[in-house]
Amino acid sequence: MTAGIADVSTCAVAVDVALLTVRDERLSILLVEPDTPDLDAAWALPGRRVRDDESLIDGARRAVRELAGLAIPHAWLEQLATYGEPQRDPHGRVVSVAYLALVPDPEDPAPGDGRSAAFVAFEDLADHQPLAYDHDRILPDAVERARSKLEYTALATQFVEEPFTLGDLRRVYEAVWGESLDGANFRRKVVSTTDFVLPVDGEFRKRPGGGRPAQLYRRGTAERLHPAMLRP
Amino acid sequence: MTAGIADVSTCAVAVDVALLTVRDERLSILLVEPDTPDLDAAWALPGRRVRDDESLIDGARRAVRELAGLAIPHAWLEQLATYGEPQRDPHGRVVSVAYLALVPDPEDPAPGDGRSAAFVAFEDLADHQPLAYDHDRILPDAVERARSKLEYTALATQFVEEPFTLGDLRRVYEAVWGESLDGANFRRKVVSTTDFVLPVDGEFRKRPGGGRPAQLYRRGTAERLHPAMLRP
DNA sequence: TCAATAGTGTCTTTTAGACATTATATG
DNA sequence: CATATAATGTCTAAAAGACACTATTGA
C-alpha cells in the first residue's frame, strides 16, 4: 500500500449514488440529466469526484445534494461496490465507489446546478437507457442489493416516513420485489419478528376511500430480522 | 464524474485482500509481515497499489502472489468493500478496495519478495494485533461476509478441494461459524438443497483412524441455496 | 471386540402459505 | 346497503432440530 514505484498511478476517485424510493407503489430510481449539450447524451446516476478532505460517504451525500437538490442527512446510505475497470470512463481512469441510498418518497427532487433530475420507475427504465458510463451495470446491482436486504434486514422501514401502517410496509415489499403478498401472512410475520416494528398505542390512520383504520407503527431496534422475510 | 475542478484530487488506489482458509479445522487468515525494519511494526493484509492498466481484481490477485507467493488464479475472489477515510493511511490519502478470497488450505504460503507470510487462526488473531492501517476494521467485515454468505450461497465448497465428503463440508461450516453442527441434519439439508453438491457415484474416501468410508461429492451448479443453510 | 465416522429413521417444534372470517371505515 | 382495507383464525405443508439407530471401517 505504500509502494509508490513505477507502473502505479493515482486515479480519479468518484462516488455514484443509486438512490431508490417507492413512488406510486413502484420502485423508482433517481437519475440526473447529463450536463453536456449533446442531444442524445445519456442520463446518469448522480456522481461527483471525491474531494481531498472528504470521506466517501460525505461525497455521496454531496453528489445527491448538488445534482438533485435533495438533502439526505438522515437517509439510509450504504456502500454498494466499487467499479474500477481501466476503460470504464472514456476520459481517463476513474475508480467509482457506488452507494445505495433508500429514502421515503420525497415527492419532488428540486434540481440545483442547472440540470434536471427525476425519479424513474425501475420498470420504465428502458426509456432512459443506455445510462452514462457503466451505470447500467451499477443499477441492477443496487436493485438486487435492496431486494436481498429486505429479506434479512429491517431496511424496508427506510422507505416510509414514521409513523407508518403495516399496509405501507407491505406496499414497500411489493414494490421492491415486484410481487404481491398476502396481507394476513405478511402482518403475522412482521409482528412476530422481534423488534422489527413497534406499535404506537392507540393511534390509527384512516384511508381516503374507506376501510378499517390501520394501527400505526414506528421502526423497531432490530437491524437483522429473525426469522427472515424471504421472497416468495 | 468528469468534474475535475478545484478541491478534487486524485488519490492513490490500493487493493487489500482478506484471504481466508480452513486450516486444522479453524478459520484462518493470511497475514504478511511488514516490510519496514521497525521491530514492533504491524502485520497486515496483503495489499498493493493498483497499476495503470490493471483491473482491481487483477491487482488483488497480484498482491497475494507477490506478497505471499501464492498463485490463486481459480480461487473465489469477490469485492468486499472500499475503505477511504481521508486519514486512514498516515502517508497520504489512499483509497483501498478490499477483496475477500476463499481458498482450500494451501498447506503453506511460500513468501516471495523477501517477506514472510503466514496463516493465523481467527481465534489467535490477538497475537498479531493491532494490524497495520485500518486492517483491523477490514478483517471483521471479511469474516462476517464469509459467515453470512455460507448461509445463502454455495460458497462453502470453495474452502475444500474436489472431490470432498460431506464431513469435509460440515467442518468448513463449523470452522467458519465457530459452532458445532448435527451431522445428520446437516447431511439432510445439504443433499436436499437443489444442486448444492453432486455425488460421485461409487467413490468413497476412508479416514485414517477408521470409520465408515464417506461418499465423495463435487460442487453443484447452484450459486444461491434454496432453502438457505441458516446459522444455529 | 471397541472406537470412530458415515448415514438413516423418527418425532417435535417452528415457520410458511392458502384462505375463510370478522372489524371498521367511506359512499 | 356495497365496497374497501385492516386484522384475526384455522388448516396444511415445509423446514429445522433433537436424538435414537444402523453401517462400515481401523485398531
Side-chain angles (χ1 to χ4, degrees):
Chain A
M1 292 202 6
T2 331
I5 339 168
D7 275 346
V8 295
S9 66
T10 57
C11 311
V13 176
V15 287
D16 289 302
V17 182
L19 186 145
L20 304 183
T21 195
V22 174
R23 168 168 288 190
D24 301 332
E25 309 195 2
R26 300 192 303 173
L27 178 64
S28 302
I29 298 106
L30 178 65
L31 294 180
V32 298
E33 211 170 27
D35 56 351
T36 57
D38 192 343
L39 263 185
D40 51 36
W43 288 65
L45 303 179
R48 281 297 204 197
R49 291 277 297 273
V50 177
R51 290 185 176 158
D52 278 348
D53 55 344
E54 179 183 56
S55 69
L56 299 172
I57 197 167
D58 285 342
R61 266 185 286 260
R62 182 171 59 84
V64 173
R65 190 178 63 246
E66 292 182 355
L67 294 175
L70 213 58
I72 53 167
H74 305 300
W76 182 263
L77 191 57
E78 70 174 43
Q79 200 182 290
L80 177 62
T82 297
Y83 299 79
E85 289 303 309
Q87 307 303 332
R88 63 176 287 281
D89 188 316
H91 306 100
R93 184 152 193 188
V94 179
V95 171
S96 173
V97 184
Y99 277 79
L100 172 66
L102 308 182
V103 302
D105 183 358
E107 304 301 337
D108 221 290
D113 203 30
R115 352 192 164 176
S116 74
F119 282 104
V120 177
F122 188 58
E123 58 195 29
D124 296 340
L125 196 62
D127 300 344
H128 295 261
Q129 277 174 324
L131 301 179
Y133 309 105
D134 56 356
H135 293 184
D136 277 316
R137 290 184 52 210
I138 299 178
L139 204 38
D141 291 349
V143 170
E144 178 50 34
R145 170 80 67 95
R147 286 178 172 163
S148 165
K149 280 212 145 186
L150 255 55
E151 294 191 88
Y152 57 93
T153 74
L155 274 195
T157 59
Q158 299 295 328
F159 281 109
V160 293
E161 303 275 10
E162 290 184 300
F164 51 86
T165 70
L166 295 188
D168 296 336
L169 196 60
R170 181 169 51 83
R171 280 181 285 274
V172 166
Y173 274 91
E174 290 177 331
V176 175
W177 285 348
E179 309 235 24
S180 63
L181 302 175
D182 180 289
N185 295 331
F186 178 83
R187 156 181 315 278
R188 221 189 330 266
K189 284 166 74 170
V190 169
V191 170
S192 70
T193 299
T194 44
D195 299 321
F196 188 4
V197 296
L198 294 170
V200 185
D201 286 335
E203 294 205 21
F204 299 86
R205 176 183 296 156
K206 301 180 182 181
R207 284 179 65 98
R212 176 173 170 177
Q215 170 72 53
L216 288 170
Y217 291 83
R218 294 188 174 276
R219 298 182 188 116
T221 55
E223 298 188 353
R224 294 184 72 89
L225 303 183
H226 300 288
M229 300 273 301
L230 300 176
R231 272 178 270 194
Chain B
M1 292 203 5
T2 330
I5 340 168
D7 274 346
V8 295
S9 66
T10 56
C11 311
V13 176
V15 288
D16 290 302
V17 182
L19 185 144
L20 305 183
T21 196
V22 174
R23 167 169 289 189
D24 301 333
E25 308 195 1
R26 300 193 301 172
L27 180 63
S28 302
I29 298 107
L30 178 66
L31 295 180
V32 298
E33 211 170 25
D35 55 351
T36 57
D38 191 344
L39 263 186
D40 51 37
W43 288 65
L45 303 179
R48 281 298 204 198
R49 293 276 296 275
V50 177
R51 290 186 176 156
D52 278 347
D53 55 346
E54 177 183 58
S55 68
L56 299 172
I57 198 168
D58 285 341
R61 266 186 285 260
R62 182 172 57 86
V64 173
R65 188 177 65 246
E66 291 182 357
L67 294 174
L70 213 59
I72 53 167
H74 305 302
W76 183 263
L77 189 58
E78 69 173 43
Q79 199 181 290
L80 178 61
T82 297
Y83 299 79
E85 289 304 309
Q87 308 301 334
R88 62 177 289 279
D89 187 317
H91 306 101
R93 184 150 194 190
V94 179
V95 170
S96 173
V97 183
Y99 276 80
L100 171 66
L102 308 182
V103 301
D105 183 358
E107 303 303 335
D108 221 289
D113 205 27
R115 350 190 166 177
S116 74
F119 282 105
V120 177
F122 188 58
E123 58 194 30
D124 297 339
L125 197 63
D127 301 345
H128 295 262
Q129 279 175 322
L131 300 180
Y133 310 104
D134 56 355
H135 292 183
D136 277 316
R137 291 183 51 211
I138 299 177
L139 204 37
D141 291 348
V143 171
E144 178 50 33
R145 170 79 67 95
R147 286 179 171 160
S148 165
K149 280 211 145 185
L150 255 54
E151 293 191 89
Y152 57 93
T153 74
L155 275 195
T157 58
Q158 299 295 329
F159 281 109
V160 293
E161 302 275 10
E162 289 184 302
F164 52 86
T165 70
L166 295 189
D168 295 336
L169 196 60
R170 180 169 52 82
R171 281 181 285 274
V172 166
Y173 274 92
E174 290 177 331
V176 175
W177 285 347
E179 310 234 25
S180 63
L181 301 176
D182 181 289
N185 294 331
F186 178 83
R187 156 181 314 279
R188 222 188 328 267
K189 284 165 74 171
V190 170
V191 171
S192 70
T193 299
T194 43
D195 299 320
F196 189 3
V197 297
L198 294 170
V200 185
D201 286 336
E203 293 206 21
F204 298 86
R205 176 185 295 156
K206 301 179 181 180
R207 283 179 67 96
R212 174 172 170 178
Q215 171 71 55
L216 288 170
Y217 291 83
R218 295 188 174 276
R219 299 180 188 117
T221 54
E223 297 188 355
R224 297 184 71 90
L225 302 183
H226 300 288
M229 299 273 301
L230 300 176
R231 274 178 268 196

